[in-house]
Amino acid sequence: MAYRVLVWGLGAMGSGVARNIVKKEDLRLVGAVEKDPERIGKDLGEYLGEERTGRLVYSDIEKAIVETRPDIVVIATNSFVKEVLPKIEAAARHHVDILTIAEEMAFPFVSHPEESEVLENIAWRYGVSILGTGINPGFVLDLLIIAMTGACLKVNRIEARRINDLSPFGKTVMETQGVGTTPEEFKKGIEKGDIVGHIGFQQSIAMIGNALGWEIDRIEESREPIISNTERKTAVAHVKPGMVAGCKHVGRGYCGDKLMIELVHPQQILPETEGVDTGDYIDIYGDPEIHLSIKPEIPGGKGTIALATNMIPAVIEAAPGLLEMSELPIPRCLIDEIKEM
């Protein structure tokens, strides 16, 4: 029997997750929830560019859950714990498991201890599993690193870089990265908290430290604008020379005064326009040293869509609680329906 999935949010990532769910043998897309009034009430299949399914786009989560009876809700609406927490509770009240691509939910225990306690209580009260995941945080700069340390006798220090292309992402991500701003606007956005760069360094560093048994005493972050010398355009962003094309964000985790984890993440739209090669690079210093290079980078949009889809069975089958990726079975690609193969 296929797992029944309701998708909440039909932006770039939510729509991608929904389309991918349709293809999977073990999953059944039963509907979606969206705030855009032009989408509400429409056939979900037609909206996604597929054939008619008879599944609808709803405006109300309560009605959607009652009418579609999902096993799990995939929330693809926000990046932050405080924004997504009420939505998680709304779904959990119906005893439905939750998977979200909100970056702060990948490992909220350190950055949001009070909210994490609330979420843990919600999970146990309603008997549901809650997981935050995505390409990063959730995989490249945390889970993949943790898995690689399994081949080490000893780990002294970790360095990793993810140089990627922001182009596939939507308007919200562009705003949090400062794409399309002037250098002055970028600085003001950082000061006001409107521009945050990569969301997830605290979560990734804390997840790695927790898995390796390191006491991470503090996490420091720095953000710098990536100024474009060329004109760049995506579906949702337009950058002229002299404007900001992205953000170079660095996170560092310390045990006492010793730097244990350094994660570097320069993100920008269309980096190839200025000869920048993308890639994922992981360097583990210990015994033995391990150096991994992936070129080009694992695509962020496709990777997030894949993880949000492929982890659905693991979340449903897990015991109740607020989960994180390192305590679940390793991700693996779900098989497509036979008719699609």
PDB file of all heavy atoms in Angstrom, residues 321-337:
ATOM      1  N   GLY A 321       8.665  11.436  17.612  1.00  0.00           N
ATOM      2  CA  GLY A 321       9.687  12.306  18.162  1.00  0.00           C
ATOM      3  C   GLY A 321      10.131  13.347  17.160  1.00  0.00           C
ATOM      4  O   GLY A 321       9.764  13.315  15.984  1.00  0.00           O
ATOM      5  N   LEU A 322      10.925  14.302  17.649  1.00  0.00           N
ATOM      6  CA  LEU A 322      11.560  15.308  16.798  1.00  0.00           C
ATOM      7  C   LEU A 322      12.874  14.705  16.322  1.00  0.00           C
ATOM      8  O   LEU A 322      13.810  14.522  17.104  1.00  0.00           O
ATOM      9  CB  LEU A 322      11.790  16.601  17.586  1.00  0.00           C
ATOM     10  CG  LEU A 322      12.513  17.735  16.869  1.00  0.00           C
ATOM     11  CD1 LEU A 322      11.798  18.124  15.581  1.00  0.00           C
ATOM     12  CD2 LEU A 322      12.672  18.938  17.792  1.00  0.00           C
ATOM     13  N   LEU A 323      12.962  14.394  15.041  1.00  0.00           N
ATOM     14  CA  LEU A 323      14.064  13.605  14.496  1.00  0.00           C
ATOM     15  C   LEU A 323      15.105  14.476  13.813  1.00  0.00           C
ATOM     16  O   LEU A 323      14.863  15.629  13.487  1.00  0.00           O
ATOM     17  CB  LEU A 323      13.515  12.593  13.490  1.00  0.00           C
ATOM     18  CG  LEU A 323      12.327  11.752  13.939  1.00  0.00           C
ATOM     19  CD1 LEU A 323      11.791  10.925  12.778  1.00  0.00           C
ATOM     20  CD2 LEU A 323      12.717  10.850  15.105  1.00  0.00           C
ATOM     21  N   GLU A 324      16.286  13.880  13.576  1.00  0.00           N
ATOM     22  CA  GLU A 324      17.308  14.507  12.731  1.00  0.00           C
ATOM     23  C   GLU A 324      17.939  13.425  11.865  1.00  0.00           C
ATOM     24  O   GLU A 324      17.873  12.244  12.167  1.00  0.00           O
ATOM     25  CB  GLU A 324      18.337  15.262  13.576  1.00  0.00           C
ATOM     26  CG  GLU A 324      18.857  14.519  14.775  1.00  0.00           C
ATOM     27  CD  GLU A 324      20.282  14.060  14.590  1.00  0.00           C
ATOM     28  OE1 GLU A 324      20.795  14.191  13.456  1.00  0.00           O
ATOM     29  OE2 GLU A 324      20.865  13.573  15.547  1.00  0.00           O
ATOM     30  N   MET A 325      18.529  13.864  10.752  1.00  0.00           N
ATOM     31  CA  MET A 325      18.927  12.942   9.703  1.00  0.00           C
ATOM     32  C   MET A 325      19.904  11.861  10.161  1.00  0.00           C
ATOM     33  O   MET A 325      19.849  10.728   9.680  1.00  0.00           O
ATOM     34  CB  MET A 325      19.522  13.718   8.532  1.00  0.00           C
ATOM     35  CG  MET A 325      18.499  14.479   7.713  1.00  0.00           C
ATOM     36  SD  MET A 325      17.378  13.414   6.789  1.00  0.00           S
ATOM     37  CE  MET A 325      18.462  12.844   5.470  1.00  0.00           C
ATOM     38  N   SER A 326      20.790  12.180  11.088  1.00  0.00           N
ATOM     39  CA  SER A 326      21.829  11.221  11.458  1.00  0.00           C
ATOM     40  C   SER A 326      21.297  10.044  12.265  1.00  0.00           C
ATOM     41  O   SER A 326      22.026   9.072  12.481  1.00  0.00           O
ATOM     42  CB  SER A 326      22.948  11.921  12.234  1.00  0.00           C
ATOM     43  OG  SER A 326      22.483  12.375  13.485  1.00  0.00           O
ATOM     44  N   GLU A 327      20.039  10.098  12.713  1.00  0.00           N
ATOM     45  CA  GLU A 327      19.498   8.985  13.480  1.00  0.00           C
ATOM     46  C   GLU A 327      18.494   8.153  12.685  1.00  0.00           C
ATOM     47  O   GLU A 327      17.882   7.240  13.224  1.00  0.00           O
ATOM     48  CB  GLU A 327      18.844   9.499  14.770  1.00  0.00           C
ATOM     49  CG  GLU A 327      17.660  10.422  14.570  1.00  0.00           C
ATOM     50  CD  GLU A 327      17.154  11.010  15.881  1.00  0.00           C
ATOM     51  OE1 GLU A 327      17.771  10.752  16.935  1.00  0.00           O
ATOM     52  OE2 GLU A 327      16.140  11.725  15.856  1.00  0.00           O
ATOM     53  N   LEU A 328      18.350   8.460  11.410  1.00  0.00           N
ATOM     54  CA  LEU A 328      17.436   7.710  10.544  1.00  0.00           C
ATOM     55  C   LEU A 328      18.235   6.875   9.547  1.00  0.00           C
ATOM     56  O   LEU A 328      19.432   7.099   9.360  1.00  0.00           O
ATOM     57  CB  LEU A 328      16.519   8.678   9.798  1.00  0.00           C
ATOM     58  CG  LEU A 328      15.447   9.377  10.648  1.00  0.00           C
ATOM     59  CD1 LEU A 328      14.733  10.435   9.821  1.00  0.00           C
ATOM     60  CD2 LEU A 328      14.453   8.376  11.209  1.00  0.00           C
ATOM     61  N   PRO A 329      17.605   5.904   8.892  1.00  0.00           N
ATOM     62  CA  PRO A 329      18.307   5.147   7.841  1.00  0.00           C
ATOM     63  C   PRO A 329      18.852   6.093   6.779  1.00  0.00           C
ATOM     64  O   PRO A 329      18.273   7.141   6.505  1.00  0.00           O
ATOM     65  CB  PRO A 329      17.198   4.255   7.258  1.00  0.00           C
ATOM     66  CG  PRO A 329      16.204   4.120   8.362  1.00  0.00           C
ATOM     67  CD  PRO A 329      16.223   5.434   9.093  1.00  0.00           C
ATOM     68  N   ILE A 330      19.979   5.713   6.183  1.00  0.00           N
ATOM     69  CA  ILE A 330      20.585   6.578   5.175  1.00  0.00           C
ATOM     70  C   ILE A 330      19.620   6.770   4.004  1.00  0.00           C
ATOM     71  O   ILE A 330      18.875   5.873   3.645  1.00  0.00           O
ATOM     72  CB  ILE A 330      21.927   6.007   4.674  1.00  0.00           C
ATOM     73  CG1 ILE A 330      21.725   4.623   4.042  1.00  0.00           C
ATOM     74  CG2 ILE A 330      22.948   5.961   5.776  1.00  0.00           C
ATOM     75  CD1 ILE A 330      22.970   4.089   3.371  1.00  0.00           C
ATOM     76  N   PRO A 331      19.620   7.964   3.406  1.00  0.00           N
ATOM     77  CA  PRO A 331      18.712   8.207   2.282  1.00  0.00           C
ATOM     78  C   PRO A 331      19.040   7.294   1.107  1.00  0.00           C
ATOM     79  O   PRO A 331      20.192   6.970   0.859  1.00  0.00           O
ATOM     80  CB  PRO A 331      18.988   9.674   1.914  1.00  0.00           C
ATOM     81  CG  PRO A 331      19.679  10.261   3.104  1.00  0.00           C
ATOM     82  CD  PRO A 331      20.428   9.148   3.734  1.00  0.00           C
ATOM     83  N   ARG A 332      18.001   6.888   0.410  1.00  0.00           N
ATOM     84  CA  ARG A 332      18.173   6.130  -0.816  1.00  0.00           C
ATOM     85  C   ARG A 332      17.019   6.471  -1.751  1.00  0.00           C
ATOM     86  O   ARG A 332      15.920   6.810  -1.282  1.00  0.00           O
ATOM     87  CB  ARG A 332      18.249   4.630  -0.567  1.00  0.00           C
ATOM     88  CG  ARG A 332      16.981   3.896  -0.202  1.00  0.00           C
ATOM     89  CD  ARG A 332      16.473   4.165   1.211  1.00  0.00           C
ATOM     90  NE  ARG A 332      17.486   4.054   2.225  1.00  0.00           N
ATOM     91  CZ  ARG A 332      17.827   2.897   2.823  1.00  0.00           C
ATOM     92  NH1 ARG A 332      17.216   1.791   2.487  1.00  0.00           N
ATOM     93  NH2 ARG A 332      18.736   2.888   3.771  1.00  0.00           N
ATOM     94  N   CYS A 333      17.278   6.404  -3.054  1.00  0.00           N
ATOM     95  CA  CYS A 333      16.284   6.811  -4.037  1.00  0.00           C
ATOM     96  C   CYS A 333      15.126   5.827  -4.082  1.00  0.00           C
ATOM     97  O   CYS A 333      15.338   4.617  -4.193  1.00  0.00           O
ATOM     98  CB  CYS A 333      16.926   6.928  -5.415  1.00  0.00           C
ATOM     99  SG  CYS A 333      15.820   7.539  -6.706  1.00  0.00           S
ATOM    100  N   LEU A 334      13.908   6.336  -3.990  1.00  0.00           N
ATOM    101  CA  LEU A 334      12.726   5.496  -4.117  1.00  0.00           C
ATOM    102  C   LEU A 334      12.517   5.119  -5.580  1.00  0.00           C
ATOM    103  O   LEU A 334      12.743   5.925  -6.479  1.00  0.00           O
ATOM    104  CB  LEU A 334      11.487   6.225  -3.593  1.00  0.00           C
ATOM    105  CG  LEU A 334      11.491   6.623  -2.111  1.00  0.00           C
ATOM    106  CD1 LEU A 334      10.188   7.342  -1.767  1.00  0.00           C
ATOM    107  CD2 LEU A 334      11.683   5.418  -1.210  1.00  0.00           C
ATOM    108  N   ILE A 335      12.043   3.909  -5.797  1.00  0.00           N
ATOM    109  CA  ILE A 335      11.847   3.420  -7.154  1.00  0.00           C
ATOM    110  C   ILE A 335      10.653   4.117  -7.800  1.00  0.00           C
ATOM    111  O   ILE A 335       9.646   4.413  -7.154  1.00  0.00           O
ATOM    112  CB  ILE A 335      11.647   1.887  -7.151  1.00  0.00           C
ATOM    113  CG1 ILE A 335      11.690   1.332  -8.574  1.00  0.00           C
ATOM    114  CG2 ILE A 335      10.337   1.500  -6.459  1.00  0.00           C
ATOM    115  CD1 ILE A 335      11.719  -0.173  -8.628  1.00  0.00           C
ATOM    116  N   ASP A 336      10.786   4.400  -9.096  1.00  0.00           N
ATOM    117  CA  ASP A 336       9.680   4.976  -9.857  1.00  0.00           C
ATOM    118  C   ASP A 336       8.640   3.884 -10.134  1.00  0.00           C
ATOM    119  O   ASP A 336       8.943   2.675 -10.086  1.00  0.00           O
ATOM    120  CB  ASP A 336      10.159   5.538 -11.185  1.00  0.00           C
ATOM    121  CG  ASP A 336      10.886   6.871 -11.010  1.00  0.00           C
ATOM    122  OD1 ASP A 336      11.032   7.314  -9.857  1.00  0.00           O
ATOM    123  OD2 ASP A 336      11.295   7.449 -12.021  1.00  0.00           O
ATOM    124  N   GLU A 337       7.425   4.325 -10.445  1.00  0.00           N
ATOM    125  CA  GLU A 337       6.406   3.378 -10.855  1.00  0.00           C
ATOM    126  C   GLU A 337       6.875   2.654 -12.124  1.00  0.00           C
ATOM    127  O   GLU A 337       7.579   3.217 -12.949  1.00  0.00           O
ATOM    128  CB  GLU A 337       5.087   4.096 -11.137  1.00  0.00           C
ATOM    129  CG  GLU A 337       4.379   4.568  -9.874  1.00  0.00           C
ATOM    130  CD  GLU A 337       2.995   5.082 -10.168  1.00  0.00           C
ATOM    131  OE1 GLU A 337       2.849   5.859 -11.134  1.00  0.00           O
ATOM    132  OE2 GLU A 337       2.074   4.718  -9.437  1.00  0.00           O
TER     133      GLU A 337
END
